[in-house]
Amino acid sequence: MLKTNSRLKNNKKVNDALNILSEGLSHANPQIGLKEYFFKNKIKFGKSIINLSKFDSVYLIAIGKAADSMAQFVSSKINYTSGIIVIPSKHKTLFHKKNIRYFKAGHPLPNTNSLKAGKYIENFVHSTRKNDFVIFLISGGGSALVTLPNIITLKEKISVNHQLIKCGASINEISCVRKHLSKIKGGKLVEKMPSYGISFVLSDVIGDDLSSISSGITYADKTTFSDALKIIKKYKIEKKIPKNVITVLNSGKNGEINETPTKPKLRNIIIGNNKNSLTAMKIKSEKLGYSTSIISNLNSNVKIAAHRISSKLKTTKKSCIIFGGETTVDVLGKGVGGRNQELVLHISKKLKNQPCIISSIGTDGIDGNTKFAGAIISTSNLPPFEKFLKNNDSFNFFKKFGGLIWTGPTHTNVNDIGIILKQSS
């Protein structure tokens, strides 16, 4: 699944690193987690069984980067009336069914198709009947793919999203603001749904916070309008976003707009996460003879994350560090790149005197504003990269010197995974 233009691709350590990453990526497949719950027209969890044949109609609504992968599996196990799938516009649809309505929408920023999908799904959910059953399949990316702004315009919503991503806000912080500018996020979509339902969720959020995955569209929300305003103030973007956005958030703070639901209406079940991939990678690396440790839940700036990761590297020849999470980047330059490519360079800077292989990829196959998943590098004979880092131009460094990793859209998303393999001195 992994392809690279690295000049070191015939190097055994590089091949080991790629094989270990591939193991992690394969265990990010949401179908692995769904197998535990879906049987012939039945859903089982714990001692509970839902017999879908007892309902008048059964519907599938799949939203996110893994939407079609999840829907493909579930649709093969149950009898359903119709469905909706919303995926990124650059994804090729994995399967086609006449009774499924497909939307290809914007990501990482919403577009008009995201708005169309949001309106369609809201109307669809509200038109279900008491003895119907809706199966939601949620994965990361849904916040942009499905949007329905409250009072503000789509253009204003896009502007806010852009500034939040650019300023280095965490996914939880971005989600908080999004939910309080939406008619459907934070559990609002299902708050007044007349039918029964359940939601299966592939986590792309550190700690598996259901209220942040796709902005908690089928869950609930603990954050408030006041929290959203504090986040905007924290990153000093008040003057960079539309005034109408601040007006709406202040209206909510003053009680003029209802807060998001605090209790979930549906059962939401996590079926996969970053931890599963890291565990699979550790098992693979140990089979290859490496002494392996895991660093999980990375959610800081790439510079801080690089320090944390590099400081854990052992001196033994067959030492391996596996890491995962979702770092952030303060975009100050005008270059091209992504958090994984930039993280690899920052770790390289820390370990430039220790021979090792370093790699990091996004499990969705997309890193920042590039079409690549991430990068791989050897600290032996490192080309100069400081000017590239200063300009947030990691992509052009790897394009020039080799090391870009390509997967194409993976139809999954469980954050980022990475590895460091110690080489013999």
Side-chain angles (χ1 to χ4, degrees):
M1 295 176 72
L2 300 177
K3 298 178 182 178
T4 179
N5 67 344
S6 172
R7 298 171 187 176
L8 304 166
K9 57 187 175 183
N10 294 321
N11 178 296
K12 183 183 183 303
K13 291 279 185 178
V14 170
N15 289 335
D16 282 353
L18 293 174
N19 286 333
I20 294 167
L21 284 170
S22 292
E23 190 73 9
L25 196 54
S26 66
H27 278 76
N29 187 336
Q31 297 186 8
I32 294 173
L34 289 168
K35 286 179 182 178
E36 181 182 339
Y37 300 98
F38 284 88
F39 301 86
K40 192 174 181 179
N41 216 34
K42 291 180 181 178
I43 300 172
K44 297 181 182 179
F45 48 93
K47 295 182 180 180
S48 300
I49 298 176
I50 299 173
N51 186 344
L52 297 174
S53 62
K54 293 183 177 181
F55 297 93
D56 295 336
S57 296
V58 175
Y59 301 108
L60 295 179
I61 298 180
I63 300 167
K65 293 179 182 178
D68 50 352
S69 178
M70 296 173 80
Q72 184 180 43
F73 176 80
V74 173
S75 65
S76 71
K77 293 291 183 180
I78 66 167
N79 300 322
Y80 65 99
T81 308
S82 63
I84 304 166
I85 294 177
V86 189
I87 56 174
S89 56
K90 293 181 180 179
H91 280 204
K92 290 184 178 179
T93 309
L94 288 176
F95 74 113
H96 293 275
K97 296 284 185 180
K98 290 182 179 179
N99 59 343
I100 290 180
R101 171 75 183 267
Y102 294 87
F103 289 91
K104 288 193 173 185
H107 189 276
L109 297 174
N111 60 12
T112 53
N113 280 347
S114 306
L115 186 60
K116 289 177 183 177
K119 289 179 179 178
Y120 187 88
I121 290 173
E122 183 192 44
N123 291 334
F124 188 94
V125 165
H126 290 170
S127 67
T128 57
R129 296 168 298 176
K130 189 175 181 179
N131 199 43
D132 292 341
F133 195 91
V134 182
I135 300 171
F136 292 94
L137 305 170
I138 306 298
S139 54
S143 297
L145 294 170
V146 175
T147 189
L148 196 58
N150 187 25
I151 303 174
I152 67 170
T153 66
L154 177 60
K155 186 177 180 180
E156 289 170 332
K157 185 72 176 288
I158 291 171
S159 175
V160 177
N161 283 354
H162 177 71
Q163 290 299 329
L164 287 166
I165 293 169
K166 188 178 178 181
C167 74
S170 70
I171 184 64
N172 301 72
E173 290 172 324
I174 294 171
S175 178
C176 170
V177 178
R178 283 169 166 168
K179 284 180 285 190
H180 289 90
L181 296 171
S182 174
K183 290 181 180 179
I184 57 176
K185 305 292 172 57
K188 291 181 183 178
L189 175 67
V190 297
E191 186 178 19
K192 297 179 181 179
M193 184 176 77
S195 61
Y196 295 95
I198 192 169
S199 184
F200 293 90
V201 185
L202 182 68
S203 175
D204 71 328
V205 171
I206 303 303
D208 301 336
D209 178 10
L210 282 162
S211 68
S212 290
I213 304 166
S214 281
S215 295
I217 194 166
T218 60
Y219 190 61
D221 184 30
K222 296 177 183 178
T223 66
T224 64
F225 282 100
S226 293
D227 293 328
L229 285 164
K230 287 176 184 176
I231 291 164
I232 288 171
K233 186 177 181 179
K234 174 183 175 180
Y235 291 100
K236 300 176 182 178
I237 57 173
E238 303 102 310
K239 295 181 180 179
K240 296 179 180 180
I241 60 177
K243 291 180 180 180
N244 193 30
V245 169
I246 302 297
T247 300
V248 170
L249 294 177
N250 276 320
S251 295
K253 180 182 177 181
N254 296 330
E256 296 166 19
I257 302 173
N258 290 337
E259 272 290 359
T260 45
T262 56
K263 294 182 179 180
K265 180 175 181 176
L266 307 181
R267 186 184 184 101
N268 283 250
I269 300 173
I270 299 285
I271 55 95
N273 56 19
N274 190 253
K275 183 181 178 180
N276 293 349
S277 289
L278 298 183
T279 301
M281 290 169 68
K282 186 175 189 290
I283 293 170
K284 179 70 173 180
S285 68
E286 289 176 341
K287 284 181 179 178
L288 293 173
Y290 292 95
S291 174
T292 308
S293 58
I294 293 178
I295 299 174
S296 58
N297 298 332
L298 291 171
N299 62 354
S300 59
N301 182 274
V302 285
K303 293 180 182 179
I304 298 171
H307 176 75
R308 179 183 170 191
I309 296 165
S310 59
S311 65
K312 299 294 183 181
L313 186 66
K314 297 177 182 178
T315 56
T316 52
K317 288 182 179 180
K318 294 208 77 174
S319 175
C320 171
I321 293 177
I322 286 163
F323 56 88
E326 187 164 311
T327 56
T328 59
V329 176
D330 292 330
V331 182
L332 303 174
K334 297 181 180 180
V336 180
R339 59 179 181 262
N340 289 282
Q341 295 163 54
E342 191 150 320
L343 179 60
V344 169
L345 290 184
H346 278 290
I347 297 174
S348 299
K349 187 176 179 180
K350 295 284 184 180
L351 298 176
K352 60 184 177 182
N353 296 321
Q354 297 192 55
C356 54
I357 301 296
I358 304 163
S359 184
S360 184
I361 64 170
T363 55
D364 60 356
I366 301 166
D367 189 29
N369 54 2
T370 78
K371 65 178 181 180
F372 293 87
I376 189 166
I377 200 170
S378 170
T379 55
S380 300
N381 301 315
L382 269 175
F385 55 78
E386 285 291 350
K387 67 176 184 179
F388 292 95
L389 267 181
K390 286 181 180 179
N391 196 34
N392 296 115
D393 201 20
S394 53
F395 166 76
N396 281 307
F397 169 84
F398 288 109
K399 183 181 179 182
K400 181 176 180 178
F401 296 106
L404 289 167
I405 293 177
W406 183 86
T407 62
T410 60
H411 300 269
T412 187
N413 185 26
V414 292
N415 305 113
D416 305 331
I417 54 177
I419 187 169
I420 301 176
L421 293 183
K422 186 83 165 62
Q423 290 182 288
S424 300
S425 299

